[in-house]
Amino acid sequence: MKKFIVSLLIAAMAATALVGCGSGDNNNAGTNDNTNEESNANTEDEANAGTEDEGTDESTGNGVSGLISVVSREDGSGTRGAFTELFGILEEDADGNEVDMTTQEATIVTSTEVVLTNVAGDPNAIGYVSLGALNDTVKAVKINGVEATVENIQNGSYEISRPFNIATNGEPTGVAADFINFIMSEEGQAVVSEDYIQAAEDPQPFESTMEAGKITVGGSSSVSPLMQKLIEAYQAINTNAEIDLQTSDSSTGLQEVMDGTSDIGMASRELKDSESSLTATVIAIDGIAVIVNNENTVDDMTPEEVKAIFTGETTTW
Amino acid sequence: MKKFKENIAHVLFFVAAIVSICAVLLICVFLFMSGVPAMQEIGFLNFLGGTKWAPTNTVPSFGIFPMIIGSIYITAGAIILGVPIGIFTAVFMARFCPKKIYKPLKAAVDLLAGIPSVVYGFFGLMVLVPFIRQTTTAIGNATGWEWIYSNGSSILTASMLLAIMILPTIIGVSESAIRAVPDSYYEGALALGATHERSVFFTVLPAAKSGITAGVILGVGRAIGETMAVIMIAGNQPRLTGNIFKGIRTLTANIVVEMGYAEGLHREALIATGVVLFVFILIINLLFSLLKRRSEA
């Protein structure tokens, strides 16, 4: 009996492994197709050779040669949704259905910090993060020669951006209403514009109702650093208010507002149909930076090149 | 009065026992209630056998076959790498180890079991991933094998890390299984003229076989359920591959990676993924208890 179980286990493993290998062969066929396309990609590289020349001497081996490792976020992430839409990676097929064309070979990670760690550690990596989270460990590439900065997003020359939303269940009351008024006021939007782009067209000076009470704000980890600053600035004005900030993610935050466990939800994406019962307000605009390793000598790309890399058409630097 | 105290104690213990049973039942009911309808909506075959996972497309695909294979690959890799090391360590600790080294060795193995999985994952991300990346690049450059290039997040990396993580389980159970073999076996073999090594490997080890197998199965359970460490180093690509230098996504990773942003059918599909994982664990536990019963009988 023991032997039977053991042999059954081994048989099951062997069978599934074989199935996996069979499909693997199909995949290999796919990579062969890619190698054909690489020749096209190489001609593109030659066109860019002028910008890369400085680096190629010292960077043979670990510089920008070899396969590109694409780092992407998980399906459903606000950053991924905005990124794929803005670069046209989200394509419409013949029936008009939207299909996310991000290459299946992309490494999927679950947070902005891990994207940064991965790209900082791998010379061949490319990824994308919220502009507010960008730091020196990686290099942001220019898109069409435009650098990813707050100014360039404001004047419209850097187009890769997305909204930060807050949502309430129905009309906000009490402290929540006062706090939202503050966010959309001149003072609140001044806090926003330190790292992001303000969303209100013509913000008015803030007058607090000095309402007392306690509210809970919860949701997206992308919005949370901004919310933290806003809460501090608000509490300096209205000392009666108590605001509890809970960081989770967009869906959880909005779900909690619908359940009534928190008063204001934060989302780094547009609201979905199933969440349309909530009242949403855009509080800020955030840019998305395309990042590469510091050793990488590429510093300017066109949206088409970025798309080709993320859809798997271009596979080598 | 004494009777009364006795009764209170009885009730107390009974309630304590009920709590754990209730917890298991609640989890089962929750999982199946929210998972099975999603499976029906997607279609059992499309869900379990589908090879395409694209939950956010307008016409979403929910095929978890690549994740099932991913879990099996990584677990199998961990077993292949970890079991020989584990069993030999157990044999060494039980039969060959000088008393002086035994204590620190035992303490080290116990410590290995106590390290949180996120720390393992961080170690993998910082040490194993760059190691695999550099090694494969070097081999690839030297030989011109294109398939060997890897960015470091791969099935091999995850298997190596999980092999280390399941060591304490395998060593612990195997060691006690070897120690449980009656000394008469070992002495009998010696008396027949076998050397120390021969007696250990050809009489004691086979006698402890069912205990060791139980340890291996427990290790499989640990490997298949491991989440945090695997997410950080396996690459998480939801597609099939036969190349151990490429990344893959496991069932556990699929749930954690996407749970945060999922809504509607996507969320339910992730819970259904949990159901599949739960069934896997049930089978493993069943095998374990079967084997245990055999060895006791």
Side-chain angles (χ1 to χ4, degrees):
Chain A
M1 183 64 191
K2 255 178 301 171
K3 270 196 178 145
F4 174 71
I5 292 166
V6 171
S7 51
L8 198 72
L9 254 183
I10 291 170
M13 281 208 173
T16 39
L18 279 179
V19 173
C21 287
S23 327
D25 289 341
N26 295 342
N27 271 11
N28 289 344
T31 39
N32 287 341
D33 288 347
N34 282 346
T35 36
N36 292 338
E37 279 160 9
E38 268 166 32
S39 50
N40 300 340
N42 286 340
T43 43
E44 268 179 43
D45 284 349
E46 276 158 31
N48 291 341
T51 49
E52 290 177 12
D53 268 349
E54 309 152 1
T56 38
D57 294 338
E58 55 194 73
S59 67
T60 41
N62 65 349
V64 290
S65 60
L67 289 174
I68 301 175
S69 31
V70 178
V71 182
S72 181
R73 292 286 304 276
E74 71 278 19
D75 263 304
S77 145
T79 317
R80 174 169 177 162
F83 177 82
T84 50
E85 200 180 322
L86 291 164
F87 277 99
I89 296 163
L90 201 64
E91 283 179 355
E92 286 199 358
D93 65 8
D95 306 324
N97 296 318
E98 287 184 335
V99 180
D100 188 335
M101 299 296 287
T102 304
T103 170
Q104 298 261 291
E105 293 300 320
T107 301
I108 307 294
V109 300
T110 49
S111 78
T112 303
E113 281 67 38
V114 185
V115 177
L116 289 169
T117 319
N118 265 315
V119 175
D122 183 352
N124 288 346
I126 185 167
Y128 51 86
V129 291
S130 155
L131 193 56
L134 193 62
N135 60 29
D136 290 342
T137 57
V138 294
K139 188 170 79 174
V141 290
K142 294 174 187 157
I143 301 298
N144 277 338
V146 183
E147 212 171 321
T149 59
V150 172
E151 293 77 38
N152 286 337
I153 295 171
Q154 241 156 354
N155 64 32
S157 53
Y158 190 85
E159 289 169 342
I160 321 302
S161 60
R162 55 151 172 188
F164 277 175
N165 273 300
I166 54 168
T168 52
N169 204 347
E171 274 301 302
T173 52
V175 181
D178 198 44
F179 180 50
I180 293 174
N181 284 338
F182 168 75
I183 296 176
M184 302 313 289
S185 73
E186 204 177 318
E187 289 87 344
Q189 291 293 308
V191 175
V192 169
S193 58
E194 283 170 22
D195 285 314
Y196 305 91
I197 296 90
Q198 61 180 56
E201 292 276 314
D202 180 26
Q204 301 299 315
F206 177 64
E207 266 179 54
S208 177
T209 54
M210 296 306 276
E211 198 103 29
K214 185 177 179 206
I215 61 166
T216 307
V217 182
S220 167
S221 57
S222 302
V223 190
S224 163
L226 170 64
M227 191 54 75
Q228 183 67 42
K229 284 188 192 166
L230 284 168
I231 290 172
E232 279 164 19
Y234 174 69
Q235 281 176 331
I237 299 171
N238 183 356
T239 44
N240 299 327
E242 232 187 291
I243 300 179
D244 195 11
L245 179 66
Q246 291 175 352
T247 306
S248 49
D249 52 70
S250 301
S251 296
T252 311
L254 297 176
Q255 187 64 42
E256 280 174 356
V257 176
M258 283 191 270
D259 296 343
T261 47
S262 71
D263 304 272
I264 301 175
M266 309 179 282
S268 62
R269 56 167 170 77
E270 303 284 355
L271 269 59
K272 306 234 174 91
D273 287 344
S274 60
E275 296 154 352
S276 57
S277 61
L278 301 175
T279 319
T281 320
V282 177
I283 60 165
I285 310 285
D286 176 35
I288 295 176
V290 177
I291 55 169
V292 293
N293 188 275
N294 276 333
E295 285 177 32
N296 198 324
T297 45
V298 174
D299 55 15
D300 191 1
M301 295 173 108
T302 64
E304 289 73 31
E305 283 169 351
V306 175
K307 184 186 167 184
I309 288 175
F310 275 89
T311 52
E313 281 170 40
T314 309
T315 54
T316 50
W317 285 108
Chain B
M1 189 60 202
K2 209 169 182 187
K3 189 91 192 284
F4 177 69
K5 266 187 179 169
E6 194 88 341
N7 280 342
I8 285 194
H10 263 291
V11 171
L12 206 68
F13 295 144
F14 182 67
V15 168
I18 288 291
V19 165
S20 60
I21 294 173
C22 277
V24 171
L25 279 182
L26 271 177
I27 291 173
C28 283
V29 168
F30 160 77
L31 264 180
F32 283 93
M33 283 228 314
S34 25
V36 173
M39 277 198 217
Q40 273 167 343
E41 200 175 331
I42 301 161
F44 280 102
L45 273 183
N46 284 342
F47 184 65
L48 293 176
T51 53
K52 191 176 174 206
W53 177 263
T56 49
N57 289 353
T58 324
V59 181
S61 319
F62 298 101
I64 62 160
F65 190 65
M67 280 71 112
I68 296 178
I69 294 298
S71 280
I72 291 173
Y73 268 158
I74 290 182
T75 308
I79 295 298
I80 291 169
L81 294 174
V83 165
I85 302 177
I87 292 179
F88 287 139
T89 312
V91 169
F92 176 73
M93 284 171 79
R95 290 288 170 179
F96 291 91
C97 192
K99 274 224 169 74
K100 257 187 201 162
I101 338 180
Y102 182 79
K103 266 197 175 159
L105 192 61
K106 183 82 185 154
V109 171
D110 288 345
L111 190 62
L112 211 53
I115 298 173
S117 64
V118 68
V119 175
Y120 274 108
F122 198 67
F123 164 77
L125 191 63
M126 289 307 175
V127 180
L128 286 182
V129 168
F131 171 74
I132 295 284
R133 177 166 60 233
Q134 283 152 14
T135 314
T136 52
T137 311
I139 296 176
N141 287 343
T143 56
W145 294 335
E146 220 168 83
W147 49 267
I148 205 171
Y149 283 106
S150 161
N151 65 1
S153 301
S154 67
I155 299 175
L156 180 67
T157 322
S159 295
M160 281 165 71
L161 190 69
L162 277 183
I164 302 174
M165 293 180 74
I166 61 172
L167 276 182
T169 315
I170 294 178
I171 295 173
V173 178
S174 303
E175 194 200 340
S176 45
I178 292 169
R179 284 190 190 280
V181 174
D183 270 342
S184 54
Y185 283 47
Y186 171 70
E187 284 158 6
L190 280 190
L192 288 171
T195 61
H196 177 58
E197 288 77 18
R198 275 195 155 177
S199 330
V200 170
F201 281 100
F202 294 103
T203 55
V204 176
L205 208 54
K209 204 168 57 183
S210 63
I212 292 173
T213 318
V216 171
I217 291 178
L218 274 189
V220 171
R222 167 120 207 235
I224 212 165
E226 182 47 50
T227 313
M228 210 49 227
V230 172
I231 288 179
M232 293 169 85
I233 58 169
N236 304 323
Q237 294 95 329
R239 53 103 183 83
L240 286 169
T241 177
N243 185 342
I244 59 164
F245 298 105
K246 298 265 179 252
I248 206 161
R249 186 182 290 191
T250 63
L251 288 166
T252 49
N254 193 40
I255 301 172
V256 175
V257 162
E258 291 182 4
M259 205 43 159
Y261 293 92
E263 50 92 43
L265 186 61
H266 185 185
R267 178 171 281 252
E268 284 167 32
L270 294 181
I271 297 172
T273 311
V275 173
V276 174
L277 190 65
F278 189 71
V279 171
F280 266 64
I281 298 289
L282 272 185
I283 293 172
I284 289 167
N285 273 13
L286 209 68
L287 282 178
F288 178 68
S289 53
L290 263 180
L291 271 174
K292 224 170 118 190
R293 197 172 308 160
R294 294 269 144 191
S295 66
E296 276 163 10

